[in-house]
Amino acid sequence: MDTPLSVIILAAGKGTRMQSAKPKVLQTLAGKPLLSHVLDTCQTINVDSTIVVYGFGGEHVQKAMSAYELTWVAQTEQLGTGHAVKVALDKLPKDGQSLILYGDVPLVSADTLAALQAANTHGMSMLTLRVDDPFGLGRIKRDKAGNIEAIVEQKDADEAEQQITEINSGIYCVDNALLHKYLPKLSNNNAQGEYYLTDIVKMAVADGIAIAAIEPEHAFEIEGVNNRQQLASLERSWQGKLIHDLQVAGVQFADPTRVDIRGSVSAGQDVFVDVNVVFEGDCILGDNVYIEAGNVIKHARIGNACHIKPHCVIDHANIGAGVDIGPFAHLRPDTVLSDNSKVGNFVEIKKSTLGTGSKVNHLSYIGDATIGAEVNVGAGVITCNYDGVNKSQTVIKDKAFIGSNASLVAPVNIGDTATVAAGSVITKDVDDNALAFGRARQTQKDNFQRPSKKNT
Ligand code: UD1
Ligand code: CA
């Protein structure tokens, strides 16, 4: 007997103080637009429909959010939070309840929203918090028995009300029937001449409705973004939480303030992460992974006991156990490194598989290649995978040895236990166990006289 749950997200604010050409809700936190944070959180609780109230830059916001199933409502003039919800009423079901959220308050958690919904047993629940500095925010007025009576905005508050430290987050769960009943009755007869959503609290109290209030687990969950400083500080709060969770799970950070996670990281035991490492997308680390300074790791799975030396870029790669990478390696999308393989300095790998125990240790480009087990790829080897129009495949079978500075012109196959001489340009397949030379023969002139400067 779940009542249907709607979400109304207010996102019409222009965000003037960001000094940006971008609508505020498209500014990014942890690499993701503010509004996407809210929408992703809503996807983890059972939301039946989501309405976004938009204003400034609406077409950009809609385009950026096209992956979500949303109902868009325009608020052409920003006449206040109450007005913003009122314009959404047409699209709001008569039954059920609604979470009212903000596109620029990105970090409210699914647990908090679930608790807020559970607390709405009489028609209305809200998220409040006691803070040290309540200036600028709506204050929660309670009667002597502690019941909520009203919300008073900063600009409307008298001396006594200004002393109240319990503030309104602006996030509520309200029965739709009450929203349909109260919103048309809002007036803008207040210090700011705005339609205050907060006035529905007074109306509910007058109807004898007991208003529930809960607090979020973390203060940052209700913090909004109005300027660059707030965005940066909220980013730090979020990073602090992600790092803390990983520390609890057994990850050692050399300095927890010098790592950023723009996405998610899951990690096994005894993982070490040195300074200035950035994770993006979803990253999965096994046990005993050792990551040195300055790495950028994006959408990667890294197996047990891998060692990532300094300054590598690892992007959409799948890495087995016991693999050594770097320093200065670039693993591009669809790189697969099997167990105990090694990729050394100044090596770029793209769309290629390196078999178990194989090594590409120095200065190579490996693209569109399938390399077997126990292969040694010498220094400076290049797979010439591109003829200017098409990409072609290079296949290197188990235990092959590719001498330094060889160019393997794809499509080409190098056989099992084959050897390619250093400096070769290989344009034809090499058979199993064969030795292939593809280079000019060395000639020699004995007793060669070097030219000498003429005396003038
Ligand atoms: C509101 C609350 C206040 C609370 C504070 C928390 C009211 C009257 N006051 O303050 O009690 O402490 O949030 O941050 O509700 N928006 C629209 N259309 C509008 C007006 C606002 O979409 O016409 C959106 C803004 O983009 C923003 C959110 O609503 O995301 C809150 O607006 P803002 O002006 O920051 O809040 P206040 O009204 O000052
Ligand atoms: Ca305002």
Side-chain angles (χ1 to χ4, degrees):
M1 50 161 279
D2 274 359
T3 49
L5 180 64
S6 299
V7 172
I8 305 168
I9 301 175
L10 305 192
K14 183 165 179 185
T16 311
R17 280 177 286 162
M18 296 302 292
Q19 297 292 352
S20 173
K22 259 202 287 201
K24 179 164 70 175
V25 295
L26 296 186
Q27 300 289 341
T28 56
L29 184 144
K32 188 164 91 172
L34 300 177
L35 182 55
S36 302
H37 280 273
V38 181
L39 294 172
D40 288 347
T41 302
C42 289
Q43 289 198 333
T44 68
I45 56 177
N46 268 322
V47 173
D48 297 291
S49 63
T50 304
I51 299 171
V52 180
V53 180
Y54 69 95
F56 173 74
E59 61 289 357
H60 298 293
V61 181
Q62 290 183 24
K63 204 171 155 214
M65 299 295 138
S66 59
Y68 301 92
E69 202 178 303
L70 301 169
T71 302
W72 295 91
V73 174
Q75 187 196 22
T76 41
E77 265 187 304
Q78 280 194 260
L79 304 178
T81 50
H83 179 259
V85 178
K86 197 167 103 175
V87 298
L89 281 183
D90 277 353
K91 308 276 180 171
L92 191 71
K94 295 275 180 263
D95 303 323
Q97 53 187 335
S98 290
L99 289 167
I100 298 172
L101 309 177
Y102 299 92
D104 59 0
V105 181
L107 296 180
V108 65
S109 76
D111 285 351
T112 296
L113 294 182
L116 185 65
Q117 190 193 358
N120 179 24
T121 47
H122 293 97
M124 199 179 292
S125 59
M126 51 192 292
L127 264 188
T128 71
L129 190 63
R130 274 168 222 282
V131 296
D132 294 336
D133 178 15
F135 184 82
L137 295 162
R139 309 298 209 284
I140 307 297
K141 276 190 85 170
R142 291 178 183 263
D143 65 17
K144 291 211 172 66
N147 301 311
I148 292 177
E149 284 183 310
I151 302 172
V152 186
E153 292 304 299
Q154 173 75 38
K155 289 191 175 137
D156 301 281
D158 62 28
E159 284 285 317
E161 288 163 343
Q162 286 184 26
Q163 301 308 309
I164 298 172
T165 57
E166 186 184 7
I167 59 95
N168 171 32
S169 68
I171 293 174
Y172 322 83
C173 184
V174 188
D175 284 3
N176 291 352
L178 295 183
L179 291 174
H180 283 288
K181 179 174 177 192
Y182 298 146
L183 287 171
K185 295 186 192 161
L186 288 180
S187 83
N188 62 355
N189 182 17
N190 52 52
Q192 301 185 82
E194 283 180 17
Y195 294 89
Y196 289 167
L197 179 58
T198 45
D199 284 349
I200 65 173
V201 171
K202 267 186 288 200
M203 296 177 179
V205 170
D207 276 349
I209 292 168
I211 302 193
I214 63 160
E215 293 202 346
E217 188 188 350
H218 303 286
F220 64 70
E221 291 184 55
I222 62 167
E223 278 170 27
V225 172
N226 295 301
N227 57 40
R228 303 276 180 181
Q229 295 90 321
Q230 286 172 346
L231 180 55
S233 118
L234 206 51
E235 175 83 47
R236 285 307 100 203
S237 301
W238 182 240
Q239 292 303 329
K241 188 218 180 265
L242 296 178
I243 299 296
H244 172 267
D245 290 351
L246 283 168
Q247 288 172 317
V248 170
V251 177
Q252 187 67 39
F253 292 98
D255 181 350
T257 67
R258 283 188 288 168
V259 170
D260 270 23
I261 298 175
R262 301 177 190 148
S264 75
V265 172
S266 76
Q269 272 192 327
D270 295 309
V271 168
F272 174 80
V273 180
D274 211 330
V275 298
N276 298 334
V277 173
V278 176
F279 293 98
E280 295 179 29
D282 297 320
C283 296
I284 301 169
L285 313 177
D287 293 335
N288 296 302
V289 171
Y290 194 93
I291 301 174
E292 295 196 52
N295 280 289
V296 177
I297 299 174
K298 186 172 175 176
H299 269 298
R301 198 191 69 83
I302 298 176
N304 293 341
C306 284
H307 185 170
I308 320 288
K309 293 170 189 169
H311 302 293
C312 298
V313 175
I314 297 177
D315 183 2
H316 286 82
N318 192 346
I319 296 160
V323 176
D324 276 16
I325 300 169
F328 303 104
H330 185 189
L331 305 185
R332 292 169 52 200
D334 300 326
T335 292
V336 177
L337 304 184
S338 307
D339 294 352
N340 303 315
S341 56
K342 275 184 83 172
V343 172
N345 40 201
F346 306 107
V347 171
E348 174 181 350
I349 302 189
K350 182 216 81 167
K351 254 196 197 172
S352 295
T353 297
L354 191 58
T356 305
S358 291
K359 293 173 186 159
V360 186
N361 274 339
H362 329 268
L363 301 155
S364 280
Y365 171 63
I366 304 294
D368 303 302
T370 305
I371 299 178
E374 306 295 331
V375 169
N376 189 84
V377 176
V381 169
I382 305 293
T383 56
C384 309
N385 62 327
Y386 185 52
D387 60 10
V389 181
N390 297 305
K391 300 274 165 68
S392 301
Q393 298 290 319
T394 300
V395 177
I396 304 176
K397 291 281 169 49
D398 295 352
K399 296 195 180 70
F401 182 98
I402 314 298
S404 293
N405 212 35
S407 299
L408 308 177
V409 181
V412 72
N413 299 300
I414 311 296
D416 194 297
T417 323
T419 304
V420 170
S424 294
V425 177
I426 298 294
T427 55
K428 290 186 291 212
D429 289 356
V430 179
D431 292 338
D432 292 353
N433 305 304
L435 166 63
F437 287 89
R439 67 189 187 205
R441 253 179 211 283
Q442 184 170 330
T443 58
Q444 185 169 305
K445 287 183 183 173
D446 291 333
N447 302 316
F448 175 61
Q449 285 293 308
R450 279 192 220 150
S452 56
K453 271 200 175 144
K454 284 186 186 122
N455 268 336
T456 48

